[in-house]
C-alpha cells in the first residue's frame, strides 16, 4: 500500500506539472476512550481499558481538468492514515476518476462509498467514532471496489437526485463455499465424548457476484428524505454474515432552515438487511440454518447552542437479529458535545453504552480533537 501511495504522489506531481495543482485535504481525528466491558458469558473476564483511537483520519488529493466547455475530468485519491499506529498507513478510501457534465451528471470509476451508505447523509451524529451506527449493528456501510457509479444532477424543477452504482466482481465462481470446516469429536481416555464433532458448514452461492446499489434523495429547505437499496455490495466476503440485500429509509430535518428552531437538526433511519442462509452437510443431506432479517432503526438530534462554540447531540440505535442471528439484539444510547475552537478544529466529548444481548455490554466515555485541513 505504501508503494501505491508513492506512485500516487508521483502521478499527482506529473498532473501538477501540466495542469492546475490538486487540492490537498484531510483530517486528523484522535480520541482517548475508556471502555468498560461487561461480558454475559461466565467464562470471560470483564475488562476496563483506555484506548487511543484514530477515527477515520485521512489525507486526500482531488482536482479537475476541463476537457470541453461542458465536460471536465475529475479525480480523487484518498487514503486512511493512523497517527497512533504505523502498521496500517495508507489504506485506500474513496479513490476514483470520472467525467462530470454540466447537465447530464457525473460518472465515476474506482473505489467508492455505495449509494446506500451515502444515503445516511448526516443522521449518524457520532459517525467515525466508537458510537458510529455501524458499531451498533447497522449493516450496509460498504465502500466497494471495482465500482462504476452514476450521479445525476438535481432534476430541473425538483430538488431530487439519483445515484446508481455497480461493483464488478471480476470473478464468476459457482458452487459450495466452505464457511466452517468439519471437526472430529474429541474423546476422553475411557472413550466417552469430551467435545462433540461438528459438520462442515457451506454456503451455496457464487463466491462473488456483481453488486448493485441505488439511491433516490430529496433535499430542499431543510428537509432531507432518501431511499436506497443494495444487492450483493458486500459479497466479496464469503465468511459468515454475508448480506444478500439491504434497503434503507432516511429522514433529516434542519429546524433552522425550516424557520422553527435555529441550530436544531433531527435525524431518523430505518433499514432491513437479508443475509444468506448457512447450511451444514450431515450424512450427505443438506440441513439449512435460516438467517433472520436484520432490522435497524436510529433516531438522533444535534443542537448548536446559540452564539456559543458548543453543540450537544444524542443518538439511540436499535438492531434486532444482528447479522441474521436470531435474538442477537444490539442497543446503543450515546450523548456528547462538540466545541468549535475555529473552523478547522473541534473538540469532542461523549459517553454512552452499546449492549449486545447474550454477549457483552460496553460502557464508553471518550474525548478527543478533530482537525480538518
Amino acid at each position: 500500500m505504501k508503494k501505491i501511495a508513492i506512485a500516487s504522489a508521483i502521478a499527482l506531481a506529473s498532473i501538477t506539472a501540466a495542469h492546475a495543482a490538486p487540492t490537498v485535504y484531510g483530517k486528523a481525528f484522535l480520541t482517548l476512550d475508556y471502555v468498560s466491558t461487561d461480558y454475559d458469558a461466565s467464562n470471560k473476564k470483564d475488562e476496563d481499558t483506555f484506548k487511543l483511537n484514530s477515527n477515520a483520519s485521512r489525507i486526500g488529493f482531488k482536482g479537475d481538468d476541463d476537457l470541453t466547455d461542458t465536460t471536465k475530468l475529475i479525480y480523487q485519491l484518498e487514503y486512511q492514515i493512523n497517527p497512533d499506529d504505523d502498521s496500517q498507513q495508507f489504506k485506500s478510501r474513496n479513490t476514483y476518476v470520472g467525467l462530470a457534465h454540466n447537465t447530464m451528471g457525473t460518472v465515476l470509476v474506482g473505489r467508492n462509498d455505495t449509494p446506500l451508505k451515502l444515503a445516511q447523509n448526516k443522521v449518524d451524529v457520532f459517525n467515525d467514532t466508537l458510537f458510529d451506527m455501524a458499531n451498533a449493528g447497522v449493516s450496509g456501510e460498504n465502500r466497494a471496489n471495482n465500482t462504476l457509479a452514476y450521479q445525476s444532477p438535481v432534476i430541473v424543477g425538483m430538488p431530487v437526485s439519483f445515484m446508481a452504482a455497480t461493483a464488478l466482481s471480476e470473478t464468476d465462481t459457482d458452487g459450495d463455499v466452505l464457511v466452517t470446516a468439519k471437526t472430529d469429536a474429541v474423546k476422553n481416555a475411557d472413550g466417552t465424548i469430551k467435545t462433540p464433532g461438528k459438520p462442515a458448514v457451506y454456503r451455496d452461492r457464487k463466491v462473488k457476484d456483481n453488486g448493485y446499489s441505488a439511491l433516490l434523495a430529496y433535499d430542499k429547505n431543510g428537509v432531507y428524505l432518501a431511499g436506497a437499496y443494495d444487492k450483493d455490495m458486500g459479497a466479496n466476503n464469503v465468511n459468515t454474515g454475508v448480506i444478500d440485500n439491504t434497503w434503507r429509509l432516511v429522514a433529516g430535518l434542519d429546524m433552522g432552515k425550516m424557520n422553527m428552531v435555529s441550530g436544531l437538526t433531527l435525524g431518523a433511519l430505518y433499514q432491513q438487511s437479508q443475509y444468506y442462509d448457512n447450511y451444514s452437510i450431515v450424512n450427505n443431506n443438506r440441513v439449512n440454518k435460516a438467517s433472520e432479517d436484520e432490522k435497524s432503526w436510529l433516531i438522533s438530534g444535534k443542537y448548536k447552542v446559540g452564539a456559543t462554540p458548543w453543540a450537544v447531540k444524542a443518538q439511540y440505535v436499535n438492531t434486532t437479529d444482528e447479522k441474521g442471528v436470531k435474538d442477537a439484539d444490539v442497543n446503543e444510547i450515546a450523548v456528547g458535545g462538540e466545541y468549535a475552537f475555529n473552523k478547522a478544529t473541534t473538540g469532542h466529548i461523549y459517553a454512552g453504552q452499546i449492549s449486545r444481548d447474550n454477549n457483552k455490554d460496553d460502557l464508553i466515555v471518550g474525548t478527543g480533537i478533530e482537525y480538518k485541513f
Side-chain angles (χ1 to χ4, degrees):
M1 186 58 71
K2 291 183 178 180
K3 291 182 179 179
I4 294 175
I6 293 172
S8 299
I10 295 173
L12 284 169
S14 299
I15 293 172
T16 303
H19 306 282
T23 299
V24 180
Y25 67 95
K27 75 173 182 178
F29 186 9
L30 290 172
T31 57
L32 179 64
D33 299 301
Y34 167 73
V35 182
S36 178
T37 302
D38 182 9
Y39 289 100
D40 294 340
S42 59
N43 62 341
K44 288 190 176 182
K45 185 178 180 181
D46 295 343
E47 300 174 350
D48 294 281
T49 59
F50 283 93
K51 300 179 180 180
L52 182 62
N53 290 309
S54 174
N55 303 279
S57 299
R58 69 200 67 167
I59 186 169
F61 310 87
K62 61 183 178 181
D64 59 66
D65 186 25
D66 291 332
L67 300 180
T68 69
D69 291 340
T70 58
T71 305
K72 63 177 61 178
L73 179 143
I74 60 175
Y75 63 89
Q76 177 174 295
L77 304 171
E78 185 175 290
Y79 302 98
Q80 178 176 313
I81 58 175
N82 294 297
D84 63 325
D85 184 356
D86 67 353
S87 63
Q88 298 180 0
Q89 299 290 2
F90 300 113
K91 179 180 179 181
S92 179
R93 288 176 52 86
N94 292 342
T95 300
Y96 56 78
V97 64
L99 296 174
H101 189 272
N102 288 355
T103 59
M104 297 178 64
T106 302
V107 175
L108 304 174
V109 291
R111 172 173 165 81
N112 214 346
D113 290 338
T114 67
L116 183 132
K117 180 180 180 181
L118 295 172
Q120 74 109 332
N121 201 21
K122 296 181 180 179
V123 300
D124 182 1
V125 295
F126 287 93
N127 187 49
D128 290 341
T129 70
L130 293 184
F131 288 118
D132 188 302
M133 68 180 189
N135 294 332
V138 182
S139 57
E141 295 292 278
N142 295 316
R143 180 176 294 116
N145 298 326
N146 307 315
T147 301
L148 172 63
Y150 169 74
Q151 171 71 61
S152 77
V154 175
I155 299 173
V156 176
M158 297 177 62
V160 175
S161 61
F162 171 76
M163 185 175 186
T166 180
L168 304 178
S169 70
E170 300 186 354
T171 62
D172 191 22
T173 304
D174 292 296
D176 295 339
V177 178
L178 179 65
V179 176
T180 304
K182 177 182 177 181
T183 60
D184 295 326
V186 177
K187 297 182 179 181
N188 296 308
D190 60 0
T192 58
I193 300 296
K194 179 180 180 181
T195 304
K198 296 181 180 180
V201 178
Y202 297 83
R203 182 173 291 110
D204 182 18
R205 63 182 302 272
K206 293 183 178 181
V207 175
K208 290 187 179 181
D209 289 329
N210 290 342
Y212 306 93
S213 184
L215 159 67
L216 186 65
Y218 170 95
D219 192 1
K220 186 177 182 180
N221 296 332
V223 178
Y224 174 81
L225 300 171
Y229 177 80
D230 264 8
K231 170 66 176 175
D232 282 331
M233 289 303 281
N236 58 349
N237 176 5
V238 297
N239 296 318
T240 56
V242 176
I243 300 172
D244 178 1
N245 62 79
T246 299
W247 58 267
R248 173 180 289 183
L249 300 175
V250 182
L253 299 176
D254 187 326
M255 307 299 282
K257 291 182 179 179
M258 298 172 67
N259 298 318
M260 297 179 69
V261 182
S262 179
L264 177 63
T265 57
L266 302 174
L269 177 149
Y270 178 80
Q271 78 169 39
Q272 183 169 314
S273 295
Q274 183 177 17
Y275 283 74
Y276 284 104
D277 292 343
N278 289 336
Y279 67 89
S280 301
I281 302 298
V282 180
N283 296 327
N284 295 319
N285 294 317
R286 172 171 167 159
V287 179
N288 282 348
K289 181 181 178 182
S291 294
E292 303 292 327
D293 287 344
E294 175 191 271
K295 298 176 182 178
S296 300
W297 60 275
L298 170 153
I299 54 174
S300 66
K302 186 174 181 179
Y303 176 65
K304 187 181 184 309
V305 185
T308 75
W310 280 101
V312 293
K313 56 187 180 181
Q315 181 163 286
Y316 177 77
V317 185
N318 171 263
T319 297
T320 57
D321 302 328
E322 183 184 17
K323 292 183 170 60
V325 179
K326 186 175 178 59
D327 298 328
D329 299 343
V330 187
N331 288 282
E332 171 192 291
I333 185 166
V335 294
E338 299 178 3
Y339 186 92
F341 292 97
N342 51 48
K343 290 183 178 180
T345 309
T346 303
H348 294 261
I349 55 172
Y350 46 82
Q353 181 170 281
I354 300 176
S355 301
R356 284 181 160 81
D357 290 353
N358 304 314
N359 187 354
K360 64 177 182 177
D361 298 333
D362 287 327
L363 173 67
I364 302 169
V365 179
T367 185
I369 195 160
E370 179 180 15
Y371 176 72
K372 297 180 179 179
F373 60 90

